[in-house]
Amino acid sequence: MKTIKFGVICPSEIAFRRFMPALKQINGAEYVGLAVNSISERYGNDLPSIEIQEKMLARNRGKAKNFVDSFGGKIFNSYEEITRSDEIDALYIPLPPALHYKWAKIALESNKHVLLEKPAAISLTEINSLVNIASSKNLALHENYMFIYHEQLNIIREIINSGKIGDIRLCVIKFGFPRRNPDDFRYNKTLGGGALNDVGGYTIKFAADILGDNAKILYAEMNYLDDFDVDIYGSGAMGNNSGSVVQIAFGMDNDYKCELEIWGSKGTLRTGRIITAPAGFIPEVIINNEIIKLPADDTFKKSIENFITCINNESERQANYLAITRQAELINEFRKKAAD
């Protein structure tokens, strides 16, 4: 099997903290280098003072040097350079969501496989465009909802199927965190911020996994605060043709929660860190008063491995196209219902 040569656009925190340690563990994956953005890519035609430009370049170079010191590889002097480089087979793009489409499109048109942080893009139109390009060129396109690969999800399904908590009456998924720094991209509309695009996408992805192929949005609410031009929290419900219901709630100015509750006729299953369990973390489920420890897992590593499988396997690529498109359709449906 051919070694896949990876590049990274932007020395982001998640690339440094999660992606690179996982990539280094994977056989058949080789890290080549990362790109910093050029002055024109950062500011376009609206150039700031030379002093601000120099500070931006110094800051980017400092982050890139830390990357190289920690993981090796080379520094590409622009996103354009790395997307078109013959040294790169696949690109990891952890940019703010509004920038995903532009650079993923350029990368795909340059015959690069693309692994995107979630959401893969900020509209269904953009997603359809990327999927069409990837499909026409037989390229892998992957959206990095890592939690879906955690082994705890399979064990929870086994517990449900065993009848331990009886017939399922309701599922509830909650995911939210306290307010971050005001300059965080999540609170910036221009950069594709908003609770639905960020934490809400996780809850929709998880609910759809529980409900199956005919999952649909039953009702939706997106809530705003006066200080922001993006949605800050929200809630809703999803269902399927069998009458199953999953309630979801999410937010970016909330007490921290990352919970699943499954209410059955004989018992209730609860768990925390269902979406954010890091490598090595041992999750637990509580069924009534019984605590059951679940195995640790490395979801970032498994997500990259799935991406590589998609590179090498056409049927997996096609399945991933459908999964990405379906997620975008559900987010689009949620947004429309919330606006009604």
Side-chain angles (χ1 to χ4, degrees):
M1 186 179 297
K2 176 187 173 184
T3 297
I4 306 300
K5 296 181 179 180
F6 278 80
V8 177
I9 283 187
C10 175
S12 69
E13 187 268 343
I14 193 170
F16 184 88
R17 182 173 56 88
R18 299 292 304 276
F19 176 79
M20 288 305 304
L23 185 71
K24 288 292 186 177
Q25 300 178 56
I26 297 174
N27 293 327
E30 178 185 339
Y31 169 62
V32 174
L34 80 155
V36 293
N37 56 352
S38 66
I39 291 293
S40 62
E41 289 168 351
R42 174 64 177 83
Y43 297 109
N45 295 324
D46 188 19
L47 294 178
S49 68
I50 296 297
E51 180 182 3
I52 291 176
Q53 292 182 40
E54 288 176 347
K55 285 182 179 179
M56 188 277 285
L57 288 174
R59 183 173 62 252
N60 283 355
R61 283 286 170 178
K63 290 181 178 180
K65 183 179 184 303
N66 191 32
F67 238 81
V68 171
D69 291 345
S70 300
F71 303 110
K74 64 183 289 187
I75 298 174
F76 293 82
N77 293 314
S78 70
Y79 297 167
E80 182 83 18
E81 181 184 1
I82 199 171
T83 55
R84 301 194 186 282
S85 172
D86 292 336
E87 299 177 71
I88 303 294
D89 300 316
L91 272 175
Y92 172 55
I93 304 180
L95 295 168
L99 302 179
H100 286 180
Y101 177 72
K102 174 182 178 179
W103 293 109
K105 182 174 183 289
I106 292 172
L108 290 168
E109 290 174 342
S110 300
N111 298 309
K112 304 294 186 288
H113 305 282
V114 175
L115 194 168
L116 285 158
E117 271 306 322
K118 54 79 208 161
I122 59 172
S123 74
L124 180 57
T125 299
E126 289 182 350
I127 291 293
N128 287 335
S129 174
L130 293 180
V131 168
N132 287 339
I133 297 169
S135 180
S136 69
K137 289 177 167 287
N138 296 317
L139 295 169
L141 183 66
H142 185 67
E143 186 175 36
N144 197 33
Y145 279 107
M146 302 172 291
F147 77 93
I148 211 73
Y149 302 104
H150 203 294
E151 182 61 22
Q152 66 174 322
L153 270 63
N154 292 327
I155 295 175
I156 289 170
R157 291 187 190 99
E158 291 174 2
I159 291 171
I160 293 169
N161 293 335
S162 73
K164 189 177 182 68
I165 62 174
D167 297 327
I168 305 306
R169 303 304 188 215
L170 180 68
C171 296
V172 181
I173 301 167
K174 302 174 187 175
F175 186 28
F177 50 79
R179 186 180 299 189
R180 301 190 177 197
N181 291 331
D183 61 351
D184 191 299
F185 73 84
R186 293 169 180 83
Y187 305 99
N188 187 322
K189 186 175 182 178
T190 303
L191 293 177
L196 178 60
N197 278 344
D198 195 72
V199 281
Y202 283 100
T203 62
I204 289 172
K205 181 78 171 179
F206 195 4
D209 182 69
I210 292 170
L211 293 166
D213 292 340
N214 54 39
K216 56 190 174 184
I217 308 296
L218 301 178
Y219 69 85
E221 187 73 33
M222 295 168 64
N223 302 94
Y224 295 76
L225 298 178
D226 291 341
D227 297 339
F228 300 93
D229 60 0
V230 298
D231 55 301
I232 297 298
Y233 63 101
S235 58
M238 296 172 60
N240 61 18
N241 295 345
S242 301
S244 299
V245 173
V246 179
Q247 294 177 343
I248 60 174
F250 52 88
M252 310 189 301
D253 186 27
N254 297 37
D255 181 38
Y256 183 81
K257 285 187 182 295
C258 184
E259 300 175 351
L260 169 69
E261 178 180 288
I262 303 177
W263 188 11
S265 59
K266 297 179 181 178
T268 299
L269 182 151
R270 297 181 179 87
T271 183
R273 302 301 295 273
I274 191 68
I275 290 170
T276 60
F281 177 82
I282 299 175
E284 298 176 345
V285 296
I286 301 173
I287 301 177
N288 299 332
N289 294 319
E290 178 187 3
I291 298 175
I292 302 172
K293 293 187 179 297
L294 306 180
D297 210 346
D298 188 338
T299 57
F300 218 123
K301 178 173 179 284
K302 291 171 81 169
S303 185
I304 298 171
E305 288 172 338
N306 179 268
F307 174 58
I308 293 174
T309 299
C310 291
I311 291 174
N312 294 307
N313 185 294
E314 182 179 359
S315 63
E316 291 294 330
R317 282 198 302 276
Q318 295 295 329
N320 237 22
Y321 298 154
L322 291 173
I324 293 169
T325 302
R326 183 59 179 143
Q327 173 70 1
E329 289 172 343
L330 287 169
I331 289 178
N332 189 56
E333 185 182 347
F334 190 100
R335 198 181 303 277
K336 285 182 176 180
K337 284 193 177 293
D340 289 343

